[in-house]
Amino acid sequence: MKKFYSLLLMVFMGILSVQSQIHLFLEEQVVDMGDSRPSAWVFPVAHDLDLALGDLQDYCKERSDVKLKKEGENILMGEKVSIPTIATKRGDLIGKGFITETYYGVALIFQLGYDISLNSVDWAPEMKNFRNYAKAFMSYHYEKSFTRRVVGVEKQVSDLEKEKGQGEKKIDSANKRILNLNKKIAKETDETKIELYKAEIDANEMEIETITSNNSKLQEQIDQLKGDVERLKEELHKFQGNIASF
């Protein structure tokens, strides 16, 4: 059990370290879509494209009642959608996930026609609106991403606390057995039986010592994980502050 949770701690801290290395940005870029090169708002996401694109689907549904469907690997699309907060015209809302050497990213595209997409040259007001839409999604995504991590760590804490509680119950039972054995010794005159009772007491005391030591280690792991939760919350606060400053 100690090895298992030590490994979990190492993995989690690795995730936390990688997460903290993400350099946030929100940039207009031209994106290669195979048969076209539309303008898009591009930004980094947490290190799981499936979850990031799932967050995008949830965000568009919740905020704009737009349903995005999969249109290939790491591509989502809502065809001829109306999002008045972006533009008065209908268009195809596209989300493309991708991986570079330095970050995992998502590109958001609002395509008005086959080779026409919102951009800051021809559609400046609409592209600014679209930027706000992308920025709000970034905030939504990182909130979801960190929440998933916090929930995962809190589940580990719960499991460890349950194991520790079971150990405490065993200690209580062992102490009760020792108390009863001492009562028997006080009434017993047969030395052979007394020695047997003492041997049982020794066995129970060894069990208490072992469980107490294990519970101490469990508590150390619990405290470490609770500290990780607080660090995650602090990290999210920094991320949200950075996003808000864009």
Side-chain angles (χ1 to χ4, degrees), residues 31-33 38-43 45 49-50 52-57 59-60 66-79 81 83 86 91-98 105-111 130 133-134 137:
V31 178
D32 184 2
M33 294 297 289
S39 293
W41 286 114
V42 174
F43 47 88
V45 294
L49 286 185
D50 287 339
L53 292 174
D55 288 343
L56 180 59
Q57 287 178 306
Y59 171 79
C60 292
V66 167
K67 185 175 182 179
L68 299 183
K69 298 180 180 179
K70 290 185 178 181
E71 293 291 334
E73 186 176 4
N74 295 327
I75 295 178
L76 300 173
M77 179 183 292
E79 294 185 300
V81 301
I83 306 179
I86 296 177
D92 295 341
L93 179 60
I94 303 169
K96 178 181 179 180
F98 60 91
V106 164
L108 284 184
I109 303 157
F110 198 83
Q111 199 153 311
F130 194 27
Y133 195 86
F137 168 66

Side-chain angles (χ1 to χ4, degrees), residues 174-228:
N175 279 322
K176 287 177 182 178
R177 289 194 297 271
I178 290 172
L179 181 61
N180 289 331
L181 288 165
N182 279 321
K183 288 179 179 179
K184 288 181 179 180
I185 289 172
K187 296 177 182 179
E188 188 57 64
T189 57
D190 187 326
E191 288 299 325
T192 301
K193 288 185 178 180
I194 290 174
E195 290 304 315
L196 289 174
Y197 292 152
K198 287 182 177 180
E200 285 188 54
I201 289 173
D202 289 343
N204 279 281
E205 287 178 342
M206 287 182 64
E207 181 183 2
I208 290 171
E209 184 178 345
T210 299
I211 295 173
T212 299
S213 175
N214 185 60
N215 274 8
S216 177
K217 293 171 183 176
L218 288 174
Q219 187 60 54
E220 289 178 7
Q221 292 172 340
I222 289 168
D223 293 341
Q224 175 68 55
L225 288 169
K226 285 183 176 179
D228 292 340

Side-chain angles (χ1 to χ4, degrees), residues 127-138:
M127 194 59 171
K128 183 178 179 181
N129 293 340
F130 194 27
R131 184 183 190 278
N132 291 335
Y133 195 86
K135 176 180 171 180
F137 168 66
M138 283 184 72

